[in-house]
Amino acid sequence: MLLTEPELNWLDDKVNKSDLLGQVFTPGNVAELMVSMALDSKPKTILDPCFGEGVFLKVINRKIKDASIKNIGIELDPDLYKGVRMELPSFNLYNGDFFDFNNEVDCIIMNPPYIRQELLSMEMPKFLNKGEILNRLPLINTNISPRSNLYIYFFIKSWALLKNQGEIVAIVPNTWMTAEYGQTFKDFLLSNFWIKSIIQFNKDVFPNADVDSCIIHLQKDIRSIEKHSNMISINQAISKKELEYINQLIYNGDKKLSVNKVMNKSLHLEKNWFNFFKKKTLFDLENKMVTLDQVAYLKRGTTTNYNDFFIKNNFRLVEKYPNYFMDIICSPKDIEGYTTRSLLRKNYLLSTLEKKEQLPLELNEYIERYEGEVLKDTKPKTLYNKIIKKPNQWFNIKNLKSAPIIFSYIVRDRKKFILNEANLIARDNFYEISPKEQVDKLILFAILNSRITALFLEDTGRSHGKGLLKIQKYELEKLKIANPDNIIEQDLDRLAKLGDSLAKSVEQNALKYISKIDRILLPYVSTKLNVEDLEELLRIKLDSRLNKKSGHLKLVSE
């Protein structure tokens, strides 16, 4: 691994040595962050394959006093090597070529050299000769692009040295996320690692470099297809203290960070990974989605101002005078499944436009008894004022009309839109939704019960304590849903049939139909997600709310 005499002489001869070796040194605060990430896995052997001025090694030396941890460093430049060697005599440091190193390690932290492939020519010494470098790399399943920068080969060599579940924390230019040569690098990463995090800096990290940078945090693990990656944007200069431990910033939802959790499967589908750091990246909100008030009319359910008087359950007068009462749904708990045809409990609303003297005697006596209580207590104030103004008709409730779909304004885990097949009046803890003329109610019912809608509901509503989600009427009106006008006739027919099947289904089978609805709708609103990704995104949001926790971590709609 040690450099030969000709190689040392070649380096000594070069005035522009730092340019030839791709040396751009890591700022101290970024090194602090990267070391904190690397040490999180509690490695026993740590390697810096190109330690330069030794910034990572010095931070490690300050943070770790455990003599059992083996710290290894390799540096090609003899002058830099000598300086760090004097400062860290207890470390295992080598002046040599990383591609000749063959010892197994737990963790690699690096700022690998940035050298374009055109400069890795046959005229260069062994350590800058692409042919010689490739000869010393392990066999891999991915065909790496011949246009790859030198730092790409550092990752391949690092993978070969890592133990299973070992980790890499590296800072590199971010061009690989969109460049043509970067596609084969992404394939290599996805085939051999769990990409735990990518941190994209939107400010210059290196003062003297003209490329933007990112930190990649990898774990050697080929079974990562069901895991997610944290895609993190840092949009402003952050102090050393704030950078020290990135995991705390991620999971506490620090306002300075924009975090997208992306399923590994989605990384396989997307060519341009910059899209994962942008807002509104997962759904086409402008062209493929509409707000609910564009396709339906919404109103709050019936408010009585005195439920004990107006609403009754198992009331003898209902059986005796059924023409004076209407069926009313009062609570989501009264509904079994997704339709009002399946009720666990029935309630009845006193509903008439007649005057007191026109009513049957028993009903009149019932009304006057409650009227006396209101006048005595002077509350509820609204009804008290009505009795004063209209003593013979204060109990009349006008404009009662059922809506085809209803939705509770407070939900917990399952966000169910209910098909109102029994044409019930809904109480004021529901919203009543009536599709506009061009929209079929079963199609809208299916769209509203998709996981796509559920995902946007999580961002639309607000925490109401104990994990509950509360949605105001104006918020529900602006809820983003798949646009029915964009859906082809064949899929509209399928959605209508699935909506009908969902309404008839028992609770245990409902998710089967919802998944089928999702499979139809997803291609219309997102090219980046499949149903499994959608389930995972919704699970993350739901867990965040139910376990919580304060504030919302917005993933899709900010």
Side-chain angles (χ1 to χ4, degrees):
M1 185 177 69
L2 295 178
L3 295 180
T4 63
E5 194 68 29
E7 289 171 334
L8 288 169
N9 291 337
W10 186 89
L11 284 168
D12 285 340
D13 266 352
K14 305 304 176 190
V15 177
N16 59 341
K17 183 168 56 175
S18 64
D19 291 337
L20 283 168
L21 298 181
Q23 294 172 340
V24 182
F25 303 121
T26 312
N29 61 340
V30 177
E32 291 271 351
L33 164 61
M34 292 174 64
V35 170
S36 294
M37 295 167 69
L39 296 180
D40 191 49
S41 62
K42 297 180 172 49
K44 293 298 182 184
T45 312
I46 306 173
L47 168 66
D48 182 345
C50 43
F51 61 73
E53 295 178 332
V55 61
F56 295 133
L57 300 177
K58 293 171 186 176
V59 175
I60 291 169
N61 186 53
R62 190 176 71 251
K63 286 180 174 287
I64 296 182
K65 304 303 179 184
D66 186 349
S68 68
I69 296 176
K70 187 176 183 181
N71 298 292
I72 305 170
I74 303 169
E75 175 52 47
L76 195 66
D77 187 333
D79 295 327
L80 292 175
Y81 163 77
K82 290 172 187 175
V84 178
R85 168 87 275 170
M86 292 179 62
E87 193 169 345
L88 300 172
S90 64
F91 279 32
N92 298 277
L93 304 181
Y94 303 95
N95 181 202
D97 185 346
F98 171 53
F99 293 100
D100 288 330
F101 184 80
N102 291 306
N103 294 347
E104 196 174 54
V105 296
D106 297 316
C107 180
I108 294 174
I109 183 168
M110 63 179 175
N111 174 6
Y114 178 71
I115 302 176
R116 296 193 308 275
Q117 58 92 18
E118 308 95 83
L119 301 178
L120 304 175
S121 65
M122 293 178 62
E123 291 76 30
M124 290 293 190
K126 178 182 174 183
F127 50 79
L128 290 178
N129 183 320
K130 185 164 69 172
E132 292 285 351
I133 292 170
L134 291 173
N135 287 337
R136 290 175 288 163
L137 287 179
L139 292 175
I140 58 174
N141 294 326
T142 308
N143 293 319
I144 294 296
S145 169
R147 302 184 65 242
S148 296
N149 197 286
L150 179 60
Y151 68 80
I152 302 291
Y153 303 124
F154 266 71
F155 278 88
I156 298 172
K157 178 66 176 179
S158 297
W159 165 77
L161 299 179
L162 276 182
K163 295 178 181 177
N164 191 36
Q165 305 299 309
E167 299 196 354
I168 296 174
V169 179
I171 185 165
V172 292
N174 63 13
T175 50
W176 61 272
M177 285 196 276
T178 188
E180 183 180 348
Y181 76 83
Q183 186 56 50
T184 58
F185 179 51
K186 287 182 277 192
D187 292 341
F188 165 73
L189 294 181
L190 292 169
S191 298
N192 296 285
F193 293 98
W194 166 28
I195 302 174
K196 297 179 75 172
S197 298
I198 300 178
I199 303 173
Q200 166 72 21
F201 292 97
N202 296 325
K203 296 284 184 180
D204 292 337
V205 174
F206 299 103
N208 300 319
D210 58 359
V211 293
D212 293 329
S213 302
C214 65
I215 294 172
I216 312 177
H217 188 184
L218 307 170
Q219 185 180 88
K220 189 173 182 178
D221 183 357
I222 62 173
R223 298 166 301 174
S224 61
I225 195 70
E226 297 299 332
K227 296 182 180 179
H228 70 261
S229 303
N230 291 305
M231 300 296 182
I232 305 159
S233 291
I234 296 182
N235 297 310
Q236 62 190 69
I238 298 180
S239 70
K240 176 179 174 180
K241 181 178 179 182
E242 288 171 312
L243 280 170
E244 187 169 358
Y245 196 28
I246 192 66
N247 287 339
Q248 293 178 4
L249 295 178
I250 295 170
Y251 297 115
N252 289 339
D254 190 280
K255 63 184 178 182
K256 296 182 179 65
L257 296 178
S258 174
V259 182
N260 282 337
K261 292 182 181 293
V262 179
M263 286 300 294
N264 198 299
K265 293 177 183 178
S266 299
L267 297 177
H268 285 271
L269 298 174
E270 177 59 61
K271 298 296 183 185
N272 183 356
W273 284 12
F274 283 150
N275 287 333
F276 291 122
F277 298 91
K278 297 177 182 178
K279 295 178 180 179
K280 302 180 182 179
T281 173
L282 298 179
F283 293 92
D284 187 345
L285 302 184
E286 299 301 324
N287 302 317
K288 303 296 178 63
M289 305 190 80
V290 293
T291 56
L292 182 53
D293 64 354
Q294 290 179 268
V295 296
Y297 302 102
L298 282 80
K299 67 183 182 74
R300 192 74 176 264
T302 299
T303 299
T304 69
N305 294 308
Y306 199 174
N307 291 336
D308 286 346
F309 165 72
F310 282 100
I311 299 174
K312 293 297 177 182
N313 176 259
N314 296 326
F315 187 39
R316 63 177 182 83
L317 291 180
V318 174
E319 295 182 4
K320 197 167 184 180
Y321 306 104
N323 293 338
Y324 292 92
F325 291 89
M326 298 183 69
D327 290 352
I328 185 171
I329 184 70
C330 293
S331 169
K333 295 178 181 178
D334 296 340
I335 302 171
E336 186 176 31
Y338 286 75
T339 174
T340 54
R341 287 201 185 278
S342 301
L343 295 181
L344 300 175
R345 185 177 67 164
K346 285 197 171 185
N347 289 281
Y348 306 94
L349 173 73
L350 176 63
S351 174
T352 179
L353 296 180
E354 295 180 6
K355 297 178 181 179
K356 271 196 290 187
E357 57 267 25
Q358 296 173 307
L359 298 175
L361 180 61
E362 284 183 286
L363 273 179
N364 197 332
E365 290 174 348
Y366 171 75
I367 290 170
E368 288 191 339
R369 185 168 72 250
Y370 275 88
E371 178 183 312
E373 292 180 6
V374 173
L375 291 173
K376 178 181 177 183
D377 297 335
T378 68
K379 59 183 182 182
K381 199 68 178 177
T382 303
L383 282 187
Y384 175 81
N385 291 335
K386 285 183 72 174
I387 291 172
I388 298 300
K389 291 179 181 179
K390 296 183 176 182
N392 288 328
Q393 289 181 283
W394 64 268
F395 48 87
N396 293 169
I397 301 177
K398 298 180 180 179
N399 302 322
L400 292 178
K401 186 178 179 182
S402 63
I405 301 170
I406 59 175
F407 179 71
S408 173
Y409 81 108
I410 292 182
V411 296
R412 185 165 174 77
D413 48 356
R414 193 71 60 80
K415 292 169 278 292
K416 295 197 299 186
F417 289 81
I418 306 300
L419 193 64
N420 189 11
E421 293 182 295
N423 296 318
L424 305 183
I425 299 300
R427 222 193 80 184
D428 56 359
N429 52 358
F430 287 95
Y431 296 116
E432 297 181 311
I433 302 168
S434 299
K436 292 185 177 180
E437 294 74 18
Q438 77 277 16
V439 182
D440 181 89
K441 69 176 181 181
L442 283 174
I443 292 171
L444 181 60
F445 173 67
I447 291 173
L448 290 175
N449 279 298
S450 70
R451 291 188 181 89
I452 299 165
T453 302
L455 193 62
F456 278 88
L457 268 171
E458 287 290 340
D459 276 348
T460 298
R462 62 198 65 196
S463 179
H464 192 58
K466 297 183 180 179
L468 297 176
L469 189 71
K470 183 176 181 180
I471 300 100
Q472 300 288 359
K473 177 175 177 284
Y474 67 89
E475 293 171 330
L476 190 63
E477 286 174 335
K478 299 307 176 185
L479 173 68
K480 289 284 188 179
I481 65 168
N483 186 355
D485 288 344
N486 290 337
I487 301 173
I488 64 174
E489 195 68 33
Q490 181 181 358
D491 285 340
L492 289 174
D493 290 342
R494 292 168 63 198
L495 286 171
K497 291 175 182 176
L498 286 169
D500 184 56
S501 297
L502 177 63
K504 293 175 180 176
S505 70
V506 294
E507 194 79 34
Q508 305 91 286
N509 295 334
L511 291 179
K512 175 179 70 174
Y513 296 110
I514 290 173
S515 292
K516 290 181 179 181
I517 292 168
D518 293 337
R519 291 185 195 283
I520 294 172
L521 292 178
L522 259 179
Y524 288 99
V525 297
S526 175
T527 59
K528 302 173 179 64
L529 297 175
N530 57 33
V531 172
E532 291 74 20
D533 299 329
L534 186 62
E535 289 176 358
E536 177 66 8
L537 282 172
L538 186 57
R539 184 193 64 76
I540 291 168
K541 278 186 170 288
L542 191 58
D543 287 350
S544 175
R545 170 165 60 84
L546 295 179
N547 293 329
K548 161 139 147 215
K549 309 204 170 175
S550 60
H552 265 335
L553 184 62
K554 303 263 184 178
L555 294 179
V556 296
S557 59
E558 285 186 317

